[in-house]
Amino acid sequence: MTRPRVDAGLPQRLARSAAASEGARLRTDGVAEWLAERLRAHRFRVDRIPFADLDGWMFAPGTGDLVHHSGRFFSVEGVGVTVAGGPVPSWQQPIIHQPEVGILGILAKEIDGVLHFLMQAKMEPGNRNLLQLSPTVQATRSNYTKVHKGSDVRYLEYFVDPRRGRVLADVLQSEHGSWFLRKANRNVLVETDDDVPPHEDFRWLTLGQIGRLLRLDNLVNMDSRTVLAGLPTPSAGDTLARALHTDLELLSWITAQRARHEVRVERLPLAGVRGWHRTPNTVERPDGRYFRVVAVAVEAGSREVTGWTQPLVEPAGRGVTAFLTRRIGGVPHLLVHARVEAGLLDVLELAPTVQYTPENYAHLDPADRPPFLAEVLAAEPRRIRYEAVHSEEGGRFLDAESRYLIVEADPDAPAEPPEGYLWITPGQLGALARHARYVNVQARTLLACINSGAIEGF
């Protein structure tokens, strides 16, 4: 693959930042207390409400789509999906349609010779603990163009005015392909030499501090993780000559996987989605599996708008997302899955080995459940290299959490993976993550953990 050109010294500067477990402005063990203090400083509240109490939202006549009266923000619509040869050949579902591109931006600055990143204590209504460590700027176009008539987005100028800093990474990345229809955000890292005093809801942290915080549950949010996945960090021993597959072989495999899957996605009226029904409080399946659409009322004293109502997607259970890993020729490799998701623009992206909610498959015979799920769930503690619970996108999903793991593969398992799976190095996955539409958002979370040093000795 053609690897993105970066400042020759940037990977080493990032490596120094990843090695710095303490920062110049805030100690790592003080981050949790700072977040707790910011939680106490503002009024935050999220209440479930019936759809009839949504302000500015309605089920559109004729289609039943759940839309905002401005025509902006997002809508909840329906899709019909056909996957020729897939384990489930066709289905219909609700999906979030949000065609505008948002900005997920982290501002970087050298402090005492070490790169620090300006992180925000941001409230999202879907987060179980409400406040998490977020990018400097995390805003949809509707937000930063102030469709909601709220206050300005702090530090936005560094990401919309190219004269304000140096771009270190910049790529359009997909969001959750199962719940968003062709949604992308600009993931961007900008370095400044300006003196940038942090607002009380922001703090400068090193990459190493963020890595230590990624070992904790529900502290670093999804948007921070996806930006950090695009960092061009060096990977010890991860050379082209020692990878199981060359970059060209890897790209050819991805192309072949995309070519062999015939996927058709058709937008449908939400009211006509087969197998789902609407109640006063939910849009859901009668069997309760997968997810439901609900409504909430939000109070958030630190946000650009301090109160609003909105729909959210609520998953039916906690996900399990894991890479199997093994050393091949002495080099760590990850088992990636070429995963088809209805909302992706390019048919499929590279996903973790396992990316499922176990409860959705509990009714199936063990032989019919997803590959490798049983191995991950039964892994002994000695085989688990990394484990933490992380929230998914808190602005659109309610209490959406996944148990993220990196697990040593069963040494007795066959070295040749099944169709649709391939062993690649973290460096190869990282190079792909610096391009659009190759690495899905769940895989980017685990890549961020690797990049930031959250996984010792990896």
Side-chain angles (χ1 to χ4, degrees):
M1 75 193 72
T2 301
R3 301 205 177 200
R5 296 182 64 183
V6 297
D7 174 358
L10 180 59
Q12 287 68 38
R13 295 169 64 213
L14 288 165
R16 285 197 298 273
S17 184
S21 59
E22 294 296 345
R25 298 289 186 267
L26 178 66
R27 290 189 57 82
T28 308
D29 59 11
V31 172
E33 177 53 36
W34 168 63
L35 287 171
E37 184 270 327
R38 299 321 301 156
L39 192 61
R40 293 190 296 268
H42 301 289
R43 178 174 173 82
F44 296 119
R45 184 184 176 106
V46 179
D47 294 307
R48 294 172 185 261
I49 58 173
F51 291 129
D53 289 349
L54 284 169
D55 181 17
W57 295 84
M58 65 177 181
F59 289 99
T63 64
D65 294 345
L66 188 49
V67 300
H68 193 262
H69 69 82
S70 67
R72 301 291 295 275
F73 299 107
F74 65 95
S75 59
V76 182
E77 305 176 5
V79 289
V81 186
T82 303
V83 182
V88 180
S90 66
W91 71 92
Q92 295 183 0
Q93 65 169 87
I95 201 163
I96 298 171
H97 185 218
Q98 186 175 351
E100 62 185 31
V101 174
I103 294 176
L104 306 179
I106 296 180
L107 190 62
K109 178 180 173 62
E110 279 205 358
I111 302 174
D112 296 342
V114 177
L115 272 176
H116 285 63
F117 302 88
L118 188 59
M119 308 302 292
Q120 178 181 181
K122 187 177 180 69
M123 181 271 193
E124 293 288 350
N127 291 341
R128 194 179 295 276
N129 57 347
L130 294 181
L131 207 65
Q132 295 189 13
L133 206 60
S134 307
T136 317
V137 168
Q138 178 184 318
T140 66
R141 184 179 296 274
S142 292
N143 288 144
Y144 66 77
T145 58
K146 298 198 287 186
V147 172
H148 50 39
K149 297 180 171 56
S151 58
D152 292 335
V153 175
R154 291 186 179 89
Y155 308 109
L156 178 66
E157 63 272 16
Y158 289 97
F159 303 96
V160 296
D161 183 352
R163 299 168 297 180
R164 295 300 300 264
R166 296 178 298 281
V167 174
L168 303 183
D170 198 351
V171 62
L172 284 180
Q173 293 287 19
S174 63
E175 290 216 25
H176 293 73
S178 294
W179 295 333
F180 277 110
L181 181 62
R182 298 169 186 158
K183 175 74 172 71
N185 279 321
R186 183 184 176 203
N187 288 219
V188 57
L189 183 74
V190 172
E191 183 178 5
T192 183
D193 295 324
D194 294 350
D195 181 18
V196 185
H199 178 271
E200 58 191 358
D201 288 328
F202 295 75
R203 288 292 183 270
W204 291 104
L205 300 174
T206 68
L207 186 57
Q209 288 181 287
I210 298 169
R212 288 178 61 186
L213 297 170
L214 277 165
R215 300 172 190 167
L216 305 176
D217 291 349
N218 285 327
L219 200 148
V220 180
N221 87 344
M222 186 214 78
D223 298 297
S224 297
R225 301 190 308 261
T226 183
V227 177
L228 296 174
L231 299 181
T233 54
S235 184
D238 182 18
T239 63
L240 177 61
R242 298 175 67 194
L244 181 61
H245 302 284
T246 67
D247 288 352
L248 181 58
E249 290 169 342
L250 171 56
L251 286 174
S252 178
W253 180 80
I254 295 170
T255 301
Q257 290 296 316
R258 285 175 170 164
R260 68 181 286 267
H261 288 92
E262 183 180 339
V263 180
R264 187 169 69 252
V265 179
E266 176 187 8
R267 290 171 65 183
L268 302 172
L270 180 61
V273 172
R274 187 174 61 246
W276 295 72
H277 68 277
R278 190 174 103 199
T279 74
N281 299 307
T282 64
V283 177
E284 61 184 345
R285 286 168 54 103
D287 60 15
R289 291 208 301 270
Y290 303 115
F291 64 91
R292 62 189 65 86
V293 181
V294 300
V296 296
V298 184
E299 293 181 46
S302 62
R303 294 288 297 265
E304 295 84 7
V305 172
T306 58
W308 70 91
T309 64
Q310 70 170 93
L312 290 172
V313 165
E314 182 182 27
R318 176 182 286 178
V320 173
T321 302
F323 271 126
L324 289 181
T325 183
R326 71 181 347 156
R327 287 186 173 268
I328 301 174
V331 176
H333 282 66
L334 304 169
L335 186 60
V336 297
H337 178 204
R339 181 183 174 93
V340 174
E341 294 183 287
L344 296 177
L345 189 61
D346 263 346
V347 179
L348 59 80
E349 294 182 0
L350 299 189
T353 321
V354 167
Q355 181 187 311
Y356 303 103
T357 300
E359 291 85 348
N360 291 334
Y361 303 90
H363 64 290
L364 299 176
D365 291 334
D368 296 327
R369 293 173 189 168
F372 304 107
L373 178 58
E375 179 178 350
V376 166
L377 293 177
E380 306 95 326
R382 63 182 175 81
R383 290 173 50 202
I384 297 175
R385 300 288 304 278
Y386 172 83
E387 180 177 11
V389 174
H390 292 303
S391 296
E392 305 302 335
E393 217 283 354
R396 299 292 177 265
F397 311 139
L398 179 63
D399 293 341
E401 298 175 318
S402 291
R403 179 185 173 214
Y404 279 89
L405 305 104
I406 292 185
V407 178
E408 294 280 359
D410 184 342
D412 297 325
E416 186 67 26
E419 177 63 42
Y421 295 81
L422 192 73
W423 290 105
I424 71 172
T425 68
Q428 288 176 311
L429 188 66
L432 287 171
R434 293 191 287 279
H435 293 277
R437 302 197 296 272
Y438 276 106
V439 181
N440 83 351
V441 68
Q442 289 89 347
R444 295 197 303 270
T445 278
L446 288 168
L447 186 57
C449 296
I450 295 171
N451 286 350
S452 62
I455 308 165
E456 293 181 356
F458 199 89

